[in-house]
Amino acid sequence: MSPHEAFADSLLAVQPACPPGLITWNGSDPARRFAVYRNNVMVSLIDALADTCPVTQTLVGEEFFRAVAAEYARANPPRSPVMAHYGADFAGFIEEFAPAAGLPYLADVARLEMLRAEAYHAADAEPVSPEAIALLAADPGRLPAARFTLHPSLRIMESRHAVVSLWAAHQGDDVYSALAAVDTALPESALLLRAGLDVEIYRITAATATFIRHLQAGRGLGTAVDLALAADAAFDMTEALGLLIRAGAIGGITHPEGEQT
Amino acid sequence: MNKTMTAASLAFAFGAAMSIAAAPAFAASHGGAMKADMEKEKCFGVAMKGKNDCKAGAGTTCAGTSKMDYQGNAWSMVPKGTCEKTMSKTSPTGNGQLMEFKEKKA
């Protein structure tokens, strides 16, 4: 094992141990100096996760959250110096974390908060002009083949739990009353989109989530509608399209030549 | 749905979507619709806390005074979060718990 590997291993070890060969310039105890550094590393990683997942932390309390985050950090040290995206698989870790098994929705709340951070840091893009939308509406023959370029911050998430309601309940002043009205067992899907500097989270139906995912994958409007209707005959395309237009999610409209729909 | 029907209903839906798009959007986060109407300007460095801040300085972790995060087994305690205020139809207590429990029929 190289000295670097030994140093890195000691940083993340559960039992504090000073890596061999450390010396200090002023003769102070290297083990104590190392312990301070080691603590800083762990605290900053846990803080990064706590900053990204405030609702997850509130749900379980700070003590529990920091303990899970520490376990995660030990098993998953950062691969990049950019802390904004640290914890990409934190939700997956929570899902497998036995002590949190009593809260089946916890992992998905963390997943939603991670997506929120992703959306926050995504590239800027201007939505298409109302004129471009009107132009498309005026030419219905081209609608089914039309493709939308969606905003780079747009994220879709489907959950078996009421993640959007759980998240939203923690945004107001009276968290407990808001939580009392949430039925966690109801499946919910979310659309995340940054408008200006704020990430908005919209509650959408599973069929709308399917529809937007197909648009995101570059499929034509007609194909996406058909696939969403196949998933759920009650799919409301007016509502789904209205939301995309209203929220400014459409960044561009293209008409591939000779496209068959 | 066949292609002709899709095209026709899509045209209708798109027209209707444009008119409902004039109404304010409702986001789960509060104030979403209001913000859209407000003047926007970019203001850097205030919206979300940076995660790479240096921790150096008096009273911070560099001074070795931060809370220690190495205590283990904290999850064996029941944490004081909102989870226990959150309804759970499958939980015997009717609320979320952090100890494992056997699901009851909803």
Side-chain angles (χ1 to χ4, degrees):
Chain A
M1 187 183 284
S2 78
H4 289 110
E5 284 168 344
F7 189 86
D9 279 359
S10 304
L11 279 179
L12 298 168
V14 179
Q15 290 304 319
C18 188
L22 283 193
I23 50 166
T24 52
W25 66 279
N26 60 357
S28 58
D29 179 9
R32 280 197 60 182
R33 304 296 294 267
F34 181 76
V36 171
Y37 180 66
R38 185 172 172 273
N39 186 55
N40 284 346
V41 169
M42 193 52 91
V43 168
S44 64
L45 294 180
I46 295 171
D47 282 352
L49 294 170
D51 282 350
T52 306
C53 303
V55 174
T56 310
Q57 172 165 290
T58 307
L59 275 167
V60 294
E62 193 178 341
E63 201 171 10
F64 187 98
F65 182 87
R66 295 190 80 86
V68 186
E71 285 290 295
Y72 172 80
R74 273 184 212 113
N76 303 273
R79 310 245 169 257
S80 152
V82 181
M83 284 289 98
H85 299 300
Y86 181 57
D89 45 1
F90 184 47
F93 183 85
I94 292 176
E95 211 157 56
E96 303 294 317
F97 191 66
L103 302 179
Y105 49 82
L106 191 66
D108 274 358
V109 173
R111 201 163 275 129
L112 183 71
E113 294 195 289
M114 281 292 164
L115 287 176
R116 194 167 169 270
E118 267 184 46
Y120 183 79
H121 292 285
D124 285 332
E126 286 297 314
V128 288
S129 64
E131 291 74 29
I133 305 256
L135 208 64
L136 181 62
D139 194 0
R142 302 182 83 186
L143 264 176
R147 286 164 194 222
F148 291 162
T149 309
L150 299 176
H151 194 279
S153 72
L154 188 144
R155 298 287 185 279
I156 295 291
M157 178 181 160
E158 289 107 332
S159 176
R160 290 188 292 120
H161 311 285
V163 277
V164 180
S165 300
L166 275 170
W167 183 85
H170 287 81
Q171 305 310 308
D173 294 330
D174 192 356
V175 174
Y176 287 162
S177 311
L179 270 176
V182 177
D183 180 355
T184 61
L186 287 180
E188 282 183 354
S189 298
L191 164 69
L192 297 90
L193 186 76
R194 198 187 64 241
L197 286 173
D198 291 308
V199 178
E200 304 287 11
I201 300 183
Y202 301 90
R203 191 183 298 113
I204 56 175
T205 64
T208 299
T210 303
F211 172 67
I212 299 173
R213 272 199 197 282
H214 286 301
L215 289 181
Q216 216 173 12
R219 294 195 175 85
L221 203 45
T223 309
V225 165
D226 284 343
L227 289 167
L229 282 169
D232 180 357
F235 169 60
D236 185 341
M237 65 179 111
T238 303
E239 194 184 82
L241 286 164
L243 175 63
L244 289 177
I245 298 171
R246 196 169 53 190
I250 304 168
I253 301 166
T254 54
H255 301 279
E257 290 296 314
E259 171 79 21
Q260 301 291 310
T261 22
Chain B
M1 187 179 283
N2 69 47
K3 279 162 196 166
T4 330
M5 264 183 73
T6 300
S9 56
L10 192 53
F12 177 78
F14 198 78
M18 282 173 59
S19 55
I20 66 164
F26 175 74
S29 48
H30 54 98
M34 277 166 60
K35 272 180 216 143
D37 294 334
M38 293 192 311
E39 279 293 309
K40 282 179 197 155
E41 60 173 8
K42 282 214 169 185
C43 176
F44 291 94
V46 292
M48 195 179 263
K49 203 163 89 183
K51 289 170 188 163
N52 284 331
D53 353 23
C54 175
K55 303 265 185 194
T60 70
T61 53
C62 289
T65 54
S66 84
K67 58 189 150 191
M68 296 295 289
D69 266 300
Y70 265 97
Q71 78 273 21
N73 301 321
W75 53 83
S76 59
M77 293 173 250
V78 177
K80 296 178 185 69
T82 48
C83 121
E84 290 173 292
K85 303 282 183 197
T86 305
M87 187 169 69
S88 166
K89 282 188 176 162
T90 54
S91 164
T93 62
N95 291 101
Q97 317 175 44
L98 280 153
M99 311 298 285
E100 266 191 86
F101 58 85
K102 287 221 185 298
E103 292 193 355
K104 64 171 190 178
K105 293 280 175 212

